[in-house]
């Protein structure tokens, strides 16, 4: 039969184990926090350098659309966004490019979102590409942005030649009845 003193020793041992686990857990969380901060700084560096890649391309898009396009940039820590609102009598058109990180800040994530209302045709509404923060492929990133811009322009042109959008915009020729 165990004595009370032996029980007390076992209790102290378990409490010491518990305290050690708590200290290890706290230490691990502090390390994770520092590592996350480092990744956030790396993300900010990438977002800064990304400006040199996507800004001239997005400016070219805005320049080509002229007065039909309103651009609203948004810069926040860990996120860059450009919202394009296109004036069209046929539909409400909003295009958004976003650069941010995934939840654990290990990847640079670029997204393309296109909203066209009313939706009367099929088009690519969302696209996304992600790169590990320590291995961002600038050439692939640039190609992806260029492809998304061209996809948007094609969608815009299709919309303005689509019979469903044009129904209310067309009139009948009184002589040829077309």
């Amino acid at each position: 039969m165990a004595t009370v003193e032996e029980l007390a020793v076992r209790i102290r041992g378990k409490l010491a184990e518990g305290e050690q686990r708590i200290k290890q857990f706290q230490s691990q969380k502090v390390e994770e926090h520092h590592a996350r901060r480092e990744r956030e700084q790396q993300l900010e560096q990438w977002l800064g350098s990304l400006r040199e890649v996507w800004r001239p391309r997005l400016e070219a898009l805005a320049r080509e659309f002229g007065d039909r396009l309103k651009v609203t940039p948004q810069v926040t820590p860990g996120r860059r966004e450009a919202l394009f609102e296109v004036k069209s009598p046929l539909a409400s058109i909003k295009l958004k490019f976003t650069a941010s990180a995934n939840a654990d800040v290990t990847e640079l994530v670029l997204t393309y979102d296109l909203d066209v209302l009313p939706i009367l045709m099929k088009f690519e509404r969302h696209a996304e590409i992600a790169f590990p923060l320590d291995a961002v492929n600038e050439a692939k990133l640039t190609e992806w942005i260029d492809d998304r811009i061209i996809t948007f322009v094609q969608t815009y042109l299709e919309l303005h030649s689509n019979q469903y959008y044009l129904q209310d915009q067309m009139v009948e020729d009184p002589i040829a009845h077309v």
Side-chain angles (χ1 to χ4, degrees), residues 8-9 34 40 70 74 78 93 103 113 123 134-135 149 156 160 162 164:
V9 168
H34 288 303
E40 287 172 349
K70 177 186 170 194
Q74 185 176 17
I93 306 168
D113 292 295
F123 59 93
D134 55 356
I149 290 172
Y156 177 82
H160 285 83
N162 184 297
Y164 297 110

mmCIF file of all heavy atoms in Angstrom, residues 8-9 34 40 70 74 78 93 103 113 123 134-135 149 156 160 162 164:
data_model
loop_
_atom_site.group_PDB
_atom_site.id
_atom_site.type_symbol
_atom_site.label_atom_id
_atom_site.label_comp_id
_atom_site.label_asym_id
_atom_site.label_seq_id
_atom_site.Cartn_x
_atom_site.Cartn_y
_atom_site.Cartn_z
ATOM 1 N N ALA A 8 1.967 12.144 -2.567
ATOM 2 C CA ALA A 8 2.346 13.554 -2.707
ATOM 3 C C ALA A 8 3.463 13.710 -3.736
ATOM 4 O O ALA A 8 3.463 14.636 -4.548
ATOM 5 C CB ALA A 8 2.759 14.128 -1.354
ATOM 6 N N VAL A 9 4.418 12.800 -3.748
ATOM 7 C CA VAL A 9 5.515 12.832 -4.726
ATOM 8 C C VAL A 9 4.963 12.649 -6.140
ATOM 9 O O VAL A 9 5.360 13.344 -7.079
ATOM 10 C CB VAL A 9 6.582 11.758 -4.388
ATOM 11 C CG1 VAL A 9 7.570 11.575 -5.528
ATOM 12 C CG2 VAL A 9 7.288 12.106 -3.086
ATOM 13 N N HIS A 34 6.884 34.650 -33.840
ATOM 14 C CA HIS A 34 8.038 35.300 -34.456
ATOM 15 C C HIS A 34 8.197 34.864 -35.918
ATOM 16 O O HIS A 34 8.493 35.699 -36.783
ATOM 17 C CB HIS A 34 9.317 35.008 -33.663
ATOM 18 C CG HIS A 34 9.378 35.721 -32.344
ATOM 19 N ND1 HIS A 34 9.278 37.077 -32.211
ATOM 20 C CD2 HIS A 34 9.521 35.244 -31.086
ATOM 21 C CE1 HIS A 34 9.357 37.418 -30.950
ATOM 22 N NE2 HIS A 34 9.500 36.315 -30.224
ATOM 23 N N GLU A 40 5.284 37.683 -42.510
ATOM 24 C CA GLU A 40 4.507 38.883 -42.839
ATOM 25 C C GLU A 40 5.407 39.973 -43.413
ATOM 26 O O GLU A 40 5.015 40.670 -44.349
ATOM 27 C CB GLU A 40 3.763 39.395 -41.602
ATOM 28 C CG GLU A 40 2.586 38.532 -41.221
ATOM 29 C CD GLU A 40 1.958 38.906 -39.881
ATOM 30 O OE1 GLU A 40 2.551 39.712 -39.123
ATOM 31 O OE2 GLU A 40 0.862 38.383 -39.591
ATOM 32 N N LYS A 70 -13.385 53.324 -63.920
ATOM 33 C CA LYS A 70 -13.019 53.996 -62.665
ATOM 34 C C LYS A 70 -12.186 53.004 -61.858
ATOM 35 O O LYS A 70 -12.613 51.875 -61.619
ATOM 36 C CB LYS A 70 -14.270 54.382 -61.886
ATOM 37 C CG LYS A 70 -13.970 55.014 -60.548
ATOM 38 C CD LYS A 70 -15.230 55.249 -59.753
ATOM 39 C CE LYS A 70 -14.873 55.644 -58.333
ATOM 40 N NZ LYS A 70 -16.020 55.562 -57.438
ATOM 41 N N GLN A 74 -6.573 49.986 -53.239
ATOM 42 C CA GLN A 74 -6.648 49.894 -51.784
ATOM 43 C C GLN A 74 -5.385 49.187 -51.287
ATOM 44 O O GLN A 74 -5.090 48.071 -51.709
ATOM 45 C CB GLN A 74 -7.892 49.130 -51.350
ATOM 46 C CG GLN A 74 -8.082 49.116 -49.858
ATOM 47 C CD GLN A 74 -9.377 48.423 -49.449
ATOM 48 O OE1 GLN A 74 -9.984 47.697 -50.220
ATOM 49 N NE2 GLN A 74 -9.774 48.656 -48.231
ATOM 50 N N GLY A 78 -0.543 43.664 -45.613
ATOM 51 C CA GLY A 78 -0.770 42.280 -46.026
ATOM 52 C C GLY A 78 -1.735 42.116 -47.175
ATOM 53 O O GLY A 78 -2.080 40.998 -47.540
ATOM 54 N N ILE A 93 -20.409 46.206 -64.258
ATOM 55 C CA ILE A 93 -19.204 45.405 -64.408
ATOM 56 C C ILE A 93 -18.175 45.854 -63.385
ATOM 57 O O ILE A 93 -17.790 47.028 -63.361
ATOM 58 C CB ILE A 93 -18.613 45.546 -65.829
ATOM 59 C CG1 ILE A 93 -19.663 45.217 -66.878
ATOM 60 C CG2 ILE A 93 -17.368 44.678 -65.975
ATOM 61 C CD1 ILE A 93 -19.261 45.602 -68.292
ATOM 62 N N ALA A 103 -3.995 31.919 -45.046
ATOM 63 C CA ALA A 103 -4.263 32.100 -43.618
ATOM 64 C C ALA A 103 -3.018 32.016 -42.743
ATOM 65 O O ALA A 103 -2.892 32.781 -41.777
ATOM 66 C CB ALA A 103 -5.295 31.079 -43.150
ATOM 67 N N ASP A 113 -11.399 38.579 -59.629
ATOM 68 C CA ASP A 113 -12.841 38.421 -59.453
ATOM 69 C C ASP A 113 -13.551 39.371 -60.398
ATOM 70 O O ASP A 113 -13.265 40.582 -60.406
ATOM 71 C CB ASP A 113 -13.258 38.721 -58.008
ATOM 72 C CG ASP A 113 -12.741 37.677 -57.047
ATOM 73 O OD1 ASP A 113 -13.172 36.523 -57.154
ATOM 74 O OD2 ASP A 113 -11.892 38.015 -56.199
ATOM 75 N N PHE A 123 -18.892 33.264 -68.167
ATOM 76 C CA PHE A 123 -17.586 33.898 -68.191
ATOM 77 C C PHE A 123 -16.813 33.466 -66.951
ATOM 78 O O PHE A 123 -17.383 32.937 -66.002
ATOM 79 C CB PHE A 123 -17.686 35.429 -68.254
ATOM 80 C CG PHE A 123 -18.438 36.041 -67.100
ATOM 81 C CD1 PHE A 123 -17.767 36.481 -65.967
ATOM 82 C CD2 PHE A 123 -19.816 36.200 -67.147
ATOM 83 C CE1 PHE A 123 -18.452 37.044 -64.906
ATOM 84 C CE2 PHE A 123 -20.509 36.764 -66.088
ATOM 85 C CZ PHE A 123 -19.826 37.193 -64.963
ATOM 86 N N ASP A 134 8.700 31.909 -50.292
ATOM 87 C CA ASP A 134 10.134 31.801 -50.546
ATOM 88 C C ASP A 134 10.452 31.324 -51.961
ATOM 89 O O ASP A 134 11.604 31.090 -52.293
ATOM 90 C CB ASP A 134 10.803 30.894 -49.511
ATOM 91 C CG ASP A 134 10.161 29.515 -49.430
ATOM 92 O OD1 ASP A 134 9.151 29.274 -50.117
ATOM 93 O OD2 ASP A 134 10.670 28.680 -48.670
ATOM 94 N N ALA A 135 9.422 31.196 -52.817
ATOM 95 C CA ALA A 135 9.665 30.733 -54.189
ATOM 96 C C ALA A 135 8.649 31.335 -55.160
ATOM 97 O O ALA A 135 8.020 30.634 -55.936
ATOM 98 C CB ALA A 135 9.613 29.211 -54.247
ATOM 99 N N ILE A 149 -6.077 39.809 -67.560
ATOM 100 C CA ILE A 149 -6.486 41.064 -68.202
ATOM 101 C C ILE A 149 -7.083 40.771 -69.572
ATOM 102 O O ILE A 149 -8.141 41.297 -69.923
ATOM 103 C CB ILE A 149 -5.295 42.050 -68.291
ATOM 104 C CG1 ILE A 149 -4.943 42.546 -66.883
ATOM 105 C CG2 ILE A 149 -5.625 43.214 -69.216
ATOM 106 C CD1 ILE A 149 -3.666 43.361 -66.807
ATOM 107 N N TYR A 156 -15.552 41.388 -71.788
ATOM 108 C CA TYR A 156 -16.166 42.698 -72.039
ATOM 109 C C TYR A 156 -16.663 42.793 -73.484
ATOM 110 O O TYR A 156 -17.791 43.227 -73.729
ATOM 111 C CB TYR A 156 -15.148 43.798 -71.735
ATOM 112 C CG TYR A 156 -15.656 45.181 -72.020
ATOM 113 C CD1 TYR A 156 -16.458 45.842 -71.106
ATOM 114 C CD2 TYR A 156 -15.350 45.836 -73.211
ATOM 115 C CE1 TYR A 156 -16.935 47.120 -71.358
ATOM 116 C CE2 TYR A 156 -15.815 47.103 -73.485
ATOM 117 C CZ TYR A 156 -16.612 47.747 -72.552
ATOM 118 O OH TYR A 156 -17.091 49.003 -72.819
ATOM 119 N N HIS A 160 -20.636 42.910 -75.014
ATOM 120 C CA HIS A 160 -21.141 43.970 -75.887
ATOM 121 C C HIS A 160 -21.507 43.489 -77.289
ATOM 122 O O HIS A 160 -21.932 44.281 -78.130
ATOM 123 C CB HIS A 160 -20.132 45.119 -75.938
ATOM 124 C CG HIS A 160 -20.164 45.935 -74.690
ATOM 125 N ND1 HIS A 160 -19.478 45.569 -73.553
ATOM 126 C CD2 HIS A 160 -20.847 47.055 -74.377
ATOM 127 C CE1 HIS A 160 -19.712 46.450 -72.603
ATOM 128 N NE2 HIS A 160 -20.551 47.362 -73.073
ATOM 129 N N ASN A 162 -23.246 40.302 -77.273
ATOM 130 C CA ASN A 162 -24.137 39.216 -76.877
ATOM 131 C C ASN A 162 -25.590 39.637 -77.102
ATOM 132 O O ASN A 162 -26.022 40.693 -76.631
ATOM 133 C CB ASN A 162 -23.897 38.875 -75.400
ATOM 134 C CG ASN A 162 -24.711 37.703 -74.933
ATOM 135 O OD1 ASN A 162 -25.935 37.762 -74.927
ATOM 136 N ND2 ASN A 162 -24.034 36.645 -74.521
ATOM 137 N N TYR A 164 -28.354 38.686 -75.829
ATOM 138 C CA TYR A 164 -29.188 38.853 -74.640
ATOM 139 C C TYR A 164 -28.971 40.217 -73.989
ATOM 140 O O TYR A 164 -29.898 40.817 -73.466
ATOM 141 C CB TYR A 164 -28.923 37.734 -73.635
ATOM 142 C CG TYR A 164 -29.301 36.382 -74.197
ATOM 143 C CD1 TYR A 164 -28.323 35.448 -74.510
ATOM 144 C CD2 TYR A 164 -30.627 36.054 -74.433
ATOM 145 C CE1 TYR A 164 -28.664 34.213 -75.044
ATOM 146 C CE2 TYR A 164 -30.981 34.829 -74.970
ATOM 147 C CZ TYR A 164 -29.995 33.910 -75.274
ATOM 148 O OH TYR A 164 -30.344 32.696 -75.800
#
